[in-house]
Amino acid sequence: MATVIAHSLFSEFDINLFKSGKHFRLYEKFGSHPLKLDGELGTYFAVWAPGAKQVSVVGDFNHWQDGEHQLQVRWDGSGIWEGFIPKLSKGSLYKYKIHSNHNNIITEKADPYARYCEHPPNTASVIWEDDYTWKDKSWLKKRKKHNALNAPFSVYEVHLASWKKKIEEDRSLTYVELADELVSYVKEMGFTHVELMPIMEYPYNPSWGYQITGYFAPTARFGNPEEFKFLVDELHQNDIGIILDWVPSHFPEDRHGLGYFDGTHLYEHPDPKKGYHPDWKSLIFNYNRNEVRAFLISNALFWLEQFHIDGLRVDAVASIIYLDYSRDEGEWEPNKFGENKNLEAISFLEELNKEIYASFPDVQSIAEESTAFPGVSKPVFMGGLGFGMKWMMGWMHDTLQYFSKEPIYRKYHHNDISFSLTYVFTENFMLPLSHDEVVYGKRSILGRMPGDEWQRFANLRLLYAYMFMHPGAKLLFQGCEFGQSEEWDYQNSLDWHLLEYAPHKGIMELIKNLNKLYRKEPALYEKQFVQEGFEWIDYDDAENSVLSFIRKGDKAEDKLIIVCNLTPTAHHNYKIGVPKAGKLREIFNSDHKKFYGTGDYKNATITTTDEPWHSQKYSADLKLPPLALVAFNYIV
């Protein structure tokens, strides 16, 4: 047997924290760590496998031979196997060969804490040593201001493999190429943040990254970890924040992954009613096991600390917190109170968010949670789950359903478009038009719009304008910003050639202008999560399918008047109530010619009248373009 030298990075304090589920920097201890021991260079390995009777490191350095480099189990009952192998350095491939105490099962696993992995479909872990020098100090100093709840928050959601491809080479862009092309594009479009669909290593392309095997490794599909850091650095140096999709809800059954790791249910819950996801054919983490909770929380903090990530969007929260999620009667068991809530999972999420904000108070954690579970974005000390924001799935569903209707029928569904304002301030909501809305036969967002070509694009412009004027943060999936015609295809590039056509170019110009307006007008962001930032003028004009409301900033003079005309019928003298006397100036019109609108209904400066209207003391007569939104401010 080759030499494995006894060595440990764990103190007794580390072990006690790990066992109690309170060690949240486990990546500093577990995994493979190149270091010098007694003057000799090599690599230290540590892996958690309490069900094992033997653990060996196998790799390209020992011809993948079992037993050549056996690790030693710690004496303290922690289940940690560890040791130092001389002469091993950055770039070597390895796995753990684990002989289980359970039915003599032998598994060969990738390192759960590996910092780098082989390019799929290969599955080995790679010894990696970090030597990246960051240049984003300026961003980190001001990040709190950019990530605040009273700051503009406009997110561009991206799937790196399909955003843009090198067609002639039939490949996706690398991290380094994205640091040029994606960064410059996002900056030009005016988005404040990008959100990347999961970039942690995953084996199966059609999972889009949501079934992870390498939780601590950026996927090798686009480059190495330093190159991913370079992409993050470039975003920050251009004042763009970066959010990562993070998946603590489930993991795949791939043989090299976390499932049945040491021949036992180590990471997954042993009861299939809690440990197996019927929809995704995947395994569910055991949130009741201390070491698993520490693994997950350590992973969240790892990306925030080591990669300077500005936020985590937590996937499928509803599937975590409900015992009966996607299960029929008899396929789940109630908790001790007879309810369908997973108390251990809820406790995990609360602890996760407390640790995130304690360590990184200037980041955001964002929940993709599709139910009416209360207090998702309320602090834990107030009885909430502790997230900073929550996706507003109800707004997305109602709005897309409304806009898919022919305008002639919209007056019968007027409540669908205004209903979101009855509950928008119960959470810190982000309005998502995400990848989930443009797959599986749902069509593209443009593809849902009714009418002839002009009306379809006018409807899309109106939808986006309404989204940006509605309270809440914003999220738009790649391709939506120029009116992608077809559904998203993860295997192919976006249809960038569409920008040769005026209607699509008009949509892009609209999004640029909306992002610019959102950043410029305090009334659109300073109070985007509180009731004081919004006031209806009239939500009841179903006959004309017109909505009008006021958005407000911190200062009394920061007020915007917003009017949406949701049919193709133009109005030349549409009276609305306004809060004070003065002159109104049109600052946005989605029917502008540069957006491929008619350009025929621009409002000149409007002087208010003393005639009370809509419960307001004053009123104004406006031109309302067809299928358009217009916004006004007061001339000071």
Side-chain angles (χ1 to χ4, degrees), residues 95-96 98 107-112 123 125 201 203 211-215 251-264 266-268 283 285 295:
K95 286 185 178 179
Y96 296 117
I98 302 171
T107 62
E108 188 171 293
K109 296 293 186 177
D111 188 345
T123 58
S125 302
E201 194 59 82
Q211 299 223 7
I212 295 169
T213 51
Y215 270 80
F251 57 92
E253 294 184 286
D254 293 62
R255 291 179 63 184
H256 68 288
L258 296 176
Y260 220 54
F261 189 80
D262 60 358
T264 70
L266 190 62
Y267 287 91
E268 68 272 20
L283 303 173
F285 285 104
F295 168 82

Side-chain angles (χ1 to χ4, degrees), residues 71-123:
L71 300 180
Q72 299 174 18
V73 67
R74 289 183 62 92
W75 55 269
D76 51 24
S78 62
I80 298 171
W81 296 74
E82 59 185 350
F84 175 82
I85 303 178
K87 298 183 174 60
L88 274 190
S89 59
K90 178 177 178 177
S92 294
L93 305 180
Y94 71 100
K95 286 185 178 179
Y96 296 117
K97 195 86 167 189
I98 302 171
H99 294 250
S100 178
N101 275 315
H102 180 66
N103 293 334
N104 292 316
I105 292 170
I106 301 175
T107 62
E108 188 171 293
K109 296 293 186 177
D111 188 345
Y113 290 86
R115 304 292 183 93
Y116 192 31
C117 302
E118 276 192 293
H119 193 299
N122 296 327
T123 58

